[in-house]
Amino acid sequence: MSNPSKGEPLNGLEMTPEEMRRLGYRVVDEMVKRWETLRDGPAWEGGTRKELEPLLAGGPPEAPGDPDAILDRALQDILPRAGRIDHPRFFAFIPSSPTWPAVLGETLATGFNIFQGTWLESAGPSQLELVVMDWFRDWLGFPATGGGLLTSGGSAANLVALVTAREAAGAPARPVLYLSDQGHSSVERAARIAGIPPEGIRKIPTDDGFRMRMDALAAAVEEDRTAGRDPLLICANAGATNTGAVDPLAEIGAFARERGIWFHIDGAYGGFAVLTPEGKAALEGIGTADSVTLDPHKWLFQPYETGCLMVRDTRLLESAFRILPEYLQDAALGEEQVNFADRGVQLTRGFRALKVWMSIQMLGLGAHRAAIAESIVLARDAGRRIAASPVLELLAPPSLGIVCFRFNPRAGNLDGDALEHLNLRIQEEILASGLAMMSSTRLRGAFSLRLAIMNYRSTREDVMRTLDAIESAGHRLLPEVGR
Ligand SMILES: *Cc1c(COP(=O)(O)O)cnc(C)c1O
């Protein structure tokens, strides 16, 4: 950059080093302040488009503005008007709560402007991504041939898995993919992107625990083979988004291998449970997969966007994606050096491995492991508390941090519509109170409240306080449904 102390004029896109530091320190201070006060504020804040439009309207200014005033606007009108997804009582969807070293790693990667598409342009960062991929490979129990890449998220990872499977199978004409009725929507979207028509998607029914039924899977594959279709990929859940259910991974793995079908596991949120003894037992068979989707931005406490696809045979991933155009001929540095662009969709890629590495180096793997284990325990304890309550009803066995339940007084004799109305109202009240945020889902048609306990900040008190509040709200709202 120009050196203003030597009298060189600043380019219009530059700032003085003093100004850069001052603004940078302010940004860090604001981020730390947010974390210091996170627990005291509401778990969620939003707004309608009508409210937000006038607040943020305006075209781009031609001239520079006052940076502090602009930061003030971002900090007052934009950034806080959102779910506090890392709030200790944000239990909705699949929450994420990044560690501070990970946030710093993300910031450093941006500040150092790392392009991680090719080895030529990022030797050290590429080597670090290999190191992190080796860690993940070992956690999954993949052989030495295993490897992968960090992606924008689980959706991208599922897409890369599907395309890898298709290419490895020689791009069959009538491909069919199998997932359970609890499978994630991103798998269907991947199929759509990859050109697999709706009739090539088979949703296999699940058992009482929301796990894929082996008999139904085998029957569907049989039927497709008989009809001349090409069973391509079985996608099993290792932590279904709805309930945390884990499909019978070892059995599906054995079946898939016997039939020569690619075995993919969607462990986007649940996969990192393998780091804990209990999770490892629950995910037995994960190492038999051909590919596994993982989302470090979920249960490994990383900032967005950090997803990952791991494959059993890295060569299959590279042969599915490698294309070397003339303008990248300088970037072919031989087999040893990995061009991560050859492993997926992106050429320009951010340096995602640094945050993961810094988080684990600075805080230790043990702390990450302990936080995952604690979530599992808290969900189980929440399940016990619900089962013991005369007014709450568990709708699925708690699994990998997820608890599905509803307010349903034992003596209430409420029908499905009344229960849905009541529980919707409870959800609204809890959200409006600011105490917590939870989401809802539908399990075999029944409306269910759902807690996803996945934040290293969440304590037993946070979980129990939320359940207490749900009970009180339910009692208060019961008259609305005429009881
Ligand atoms: C979150 C999730 C996805 C999608 O991952 P993104 O990171 O949101 O793209 C896929 N599958 C499961 C099971 C998930 O929980």
Side-chain angles (χ1 to χ4, degrees):
M1 66 191 281
S2 8
N3 190 342
S5 62
K6 290 194 182 142
E8 292 164 20
L10 279 182
N11 172 314
L13 290 181
E14 290 179 320
M15 283 183 163
T16 64
E18 296 70 38
E19 186 75 334
M20 285 163 59
R21 288 202 180 88
R22 195 184 62 76
L23 289 172
Y25 296 152
R26 186 174 167 209
V27 166
V28 169
D29 285 340
E30 295 287 354
M31 291 196 291
V32 174
K33 188 167 94 195
R34 174 178 174 279
W35 280 18
E36 284 179 316
T37 54
L38 193 55
R39 174 177 285 284
D40 310 323
W44 177 87
E45 209 175 305
T48 62
R49 181 144 177 200
K50 253 209 173 89
E51 287 160 18
L52 292 170
E53 214 160 44
L55 208 55
L56 304 178
E62 195 59 32
D66 170 19
D68 283 289
I70 291 159
L71 269 181
D72 286 342
R73 275 189 78 194
L75 291 162
Q76 280 158 28
D77 298 339
I78 305 168
L79 289 163
R81 305 294 293 263
R84 318 266 151 84
I85 295 166
D86 44 359
H87 187 287
R89 289 181 304 279
F90 188 101
F91 299 119
F93 312 111
I94 300 282
S96 149
S97 51
T99 65
W100 186 247
V103 171
L104 294 181
E106 169 91 48
T107 311
L108 269 176
T110 304
F112 277 70
N113 199 35
I114 301 298
F115 169 96
Q116 214 196 316
T118 64
W119 189 278
L120 180 69
E121 290 177 88
S122 63
S126 297
Q127 182 56 41
L128 192 73
E129 187 159 347
L130 287 174
V131 167
V132 170
M133 294 299 90
D134 284 353
W135 292 355
F136 290 8
R137 181 194 64 203
D138 292 345
W139 299 347
L140 293 175
F142 269 1
T145 52
L149 84 165
L150 294 169
T151 63
S152 58
S155 304
N158 282 335
L159 174 64
V160 172
L162 179 55
V163 171
T164 304
R166 186 187 62 195
E167 296 304 300
R174 299 175 69 199
V176 185
L177 73 91
Y178 306 81
L179 69 164
S180 89
D181 59 23
Q182 300 296 306
H184 194 268
S185 56
S186 62
V187 178
E188 272 179 84
R189 184 176 290 145
R192 199 182 289 179
I193 298 168
I196 295 180
E199 59 270 23
I201 298 173
R202 291 283 203 140
K203 288 202 188 156
I204 308 299
T206 48
D207 65 14
D208 293 346
F210 299 93
R211 292 173 301 240
M212 191 187 286
R213 274 178 40 201
M214 278 311 297
D215 58 334
L217 173 66
V221 167
E222 196 56 46
E223 192 187 315
D224 286 327
R225 282 258 154 93
T226 308
R229 290 183 283 263
D230 308 300
L232 174 67
L233 175 144
I234 301 170
C235 174
N237 287 310
T241 312
N242 257 345
T243 61
V246 179
D247 290 331
L249 304 180
E251 271 180 85
I252 297 176
F255 173 81
R257 193 164 335 102
E258 185 191 304
R259 305 298 166 103
I261 305 171
W262 186 278
F263 179 31
H264 176 63
I265 294 179
D266 184 356
Y269 105 75
F272 288 111
V274 289
L275 288 170
T276 71
E278 192 176 338
K280 200 181 179 82
L283 300 179
E284 202 211 318
I286 198 168
T288 67
D290 292 300
S291 54
V292 179
T293 286
L294 296 169
D295 255 347
H297 65 206
K298 287 172 175 167
W299 225 358
L300 199 63
F301 316 110
Q302 301 301 306
Y304 306 123
E305 300 173 351
T306 322
C308 174
L309 180 72
M310 296 301 299
V311 294
R312 176 173 215 83
D313 183 347
T314 316
R315 286 168 313 176
L316 294 178
L317 178 62
E318 294 197 348
S319 50
F321 284 93
R322 181 186 288 128
I323 292 174
L324 189 69
E326 296 82 352
Y327 47 81
L328 286 180
Q329 63 190 9
D330 301 333
L333 297 182
E335 283 295 308
E336 278 278 283
Q337 281 61 243
V338 174
N339 289 332
F340 274 92
D342 290 342
R343 294 189 176 186
V345 177
Q346 292 179 278
L347 172 58
T348 299
R349 300 172 73 243
F351 180 22
R352 299 183 173 107
L354 185 64
K355 49 191 159 181
V356 179
W357 184 82
M358 279 178 53
S359 186
I360 290 171
Q361 291 287 349
M362 288 191 189
L363 301 169
L365 182 57
H368 295 73
R369 194 194 306 281
I372 297 169
E374 177 67 4
S375 300
I376 296 176
V377 168
L378 289 182
R380 197 174 44 229
D381 290 355
R384 290 213 182 104
R385 158 89 174 71
I386 290 164
S389 161
V391 293
L392 300 177
E393 177 194 11
L394 262 184
L395 291 177
S399 180
L400 302 183
I402 297 188
V403 194
C404 290
F405 65 104
R406 64 184 172 186
F407 187 86
N408 184 11
R410 296 264 154 80
N413 288 323
L414 298 176
D415 65 20
D417 286 347
L419 283 172
E420 174 157 349
H421 176 79
L422 183 58
N423 281 279
L424 255 174
R425 291 282 295 115
I426 293 171
Q427 190 190 2
E428 283 167 11
E429 285 240 331
I430 297 291
L431 186 60
S433 75
L435 173 73
M437 178 152 178
M438 59 185 164
S439 49
S440 69
T441 188
R442 221 170 262 286
L443 298 175
R444 311 226 192 278
F447 183 91
S448 171
L449 299 173
R450 178 177 166 283
L451 297 179
I453 305 167
M454 239 151 270
N455 183 337
Y456 62 86
R457 292 187 183 89
S458 303
T459 63
R460 181 171 311 267
E461 210 232 322
D462 288 314
V463 174
M464 297 306 161
R465 228 176 113 193
T466 303
L467 289 172
D468 291 345
I470 290 166
E471 280 187 338
S472 319
H475 284 299
R476 206 166 47 246
L477 293 164
L478 252 184
E480 277 192 17
V481 292
R483 306 290 153 146

